[in-house]
Amino acid sequence: MTSGNNFFEHFEVGQTLRHARGKTVTNLENVNITNMVMNTAQGHFNEDFMTRLGGETRKNAPGARSSHVISYGGVNFSIVLGLSSQDTIENALAETGLDKISLKHPIFHGDTIYAYSRVLEKYDSNREDAGFIVFQHWGVNQNDKIIAELQRTALIKRQSHWGNR
């Protein structure tokens, strides 16, 4: 079951969406994913190391979080993609591109990420049952500071073909 309002026909260039959910970053997803991708930068998993550095990066980040560990950027933009998925690609047949990924501001354990999206392009594919949408996604922290930007291209079902299936 998918929503009835996010087929190809429902998107318009310039349309902006504020996604309903947020996700607080914990050490669970950050440390697990950092280790699974074999990222060896201690700043992503070694609290003692980061505390001994004096928390210099934390001084510039708003909020009263106790952790000095910086969440791995791959975790951050993946959360942005996940938060935006229900509204944007729930009726996708394929994701065909992730481009212009930019990490803007650090996220620490205990920070919360929210997401926004804008439709940049909408164009036909060589399939009559689907078309392409290019989305711009933004992630912001609990203080509305932009933490990540990226573009995603997806092949989205047309309601005229798939609506009753």
Side-chain angles (χ1 to χ4, degrees):
M1 292 290 238
T2 60
S3 298
N5 64 348
N6 56 14
F7 287 93
F8 180 79
E9 295 91 335
H10 297 115
F11 293 106
E12 297 297 330
V13 173
Q15 176 183 3
T16 301
L17 304 159
R18 179 176 186 232
H19 305 294
R21 295 176 183 84
K23 170 68 178 97
T24 301
V25 178
T26 69
N27 63 345
L28 175 67
E29 56 269 341
N30 178 51
V31 174
N32 280 344
I33 292 172
T34 298
N35 289 327
M36 282 193 293
V37 300
M38 300 177 75
N39 183 328
T40 60
Q42 290 190 77
H44 298 308
F45 55 81
N46 187 334
E47 186 72 51
D48 180 60
F49 174 78
M50 292 302 285
T51 301
R52 288 175 191 230
L53 281 179
E56 290 301 315
T57 55
R58 189 65 180 132
K59 286 181 188 174
N60 297 322
R65 303 292 188 261
S66 60
S67 177
H68 294 96
V69 171
I70 300 171
S71 179
Y72 165 51
V75 170
N76 301 345
F77 78 75
S78 295
I79 290 172
V80 172
L81 288 171
L83 292 170
S84 66
S85 291
Q86 182 178 9
D87 297 327
T88 59
I89 63 156
E90 190 175 48
N91 282 304
L93 294 171
E95 288 189 74
T96 60
L98 287 177
D99 298 298
K100 300 181 181 174
I101 298 169
S102 178
L103 302 170
K104 303 288 191 182
H105 189 73
I107 288 289
F108 299 87
H109 295 173
D111 288 347
T112 301
I113 297 174
Y114 298 93
Y116 296 84
S117 299
R118 179 171 294 139
V119 178
L120 296 181
E121 295 179 52
K122 177 180 177 178
Y123 55 94
D124 292 330
S125 70
N126 61 355
R127 298 173 58 147
E128 66 181 46
D129 67 337
F132 288 103
I133 305 282
V134 179
F135 297 99
Q136 174 76 37
H137 299 300
W138 292 273
V140 299
N141 68 8
Q142 67 277 0
N143 298 307
D144 287 327
K145 179 90 173 166
I146 295 175
I147 60 100
E149 295 180 6
L150 62 145
Q151 290 181 7
R152 170 168 39 188
T153 304
L155 182 64
I156 308 289
K157 295 176 184 176
R158 291 182 188 270
Q159 186 174 23
S160 58
H161 184 82
W162 293 90
N164 294 325
R165 293 181 188 191

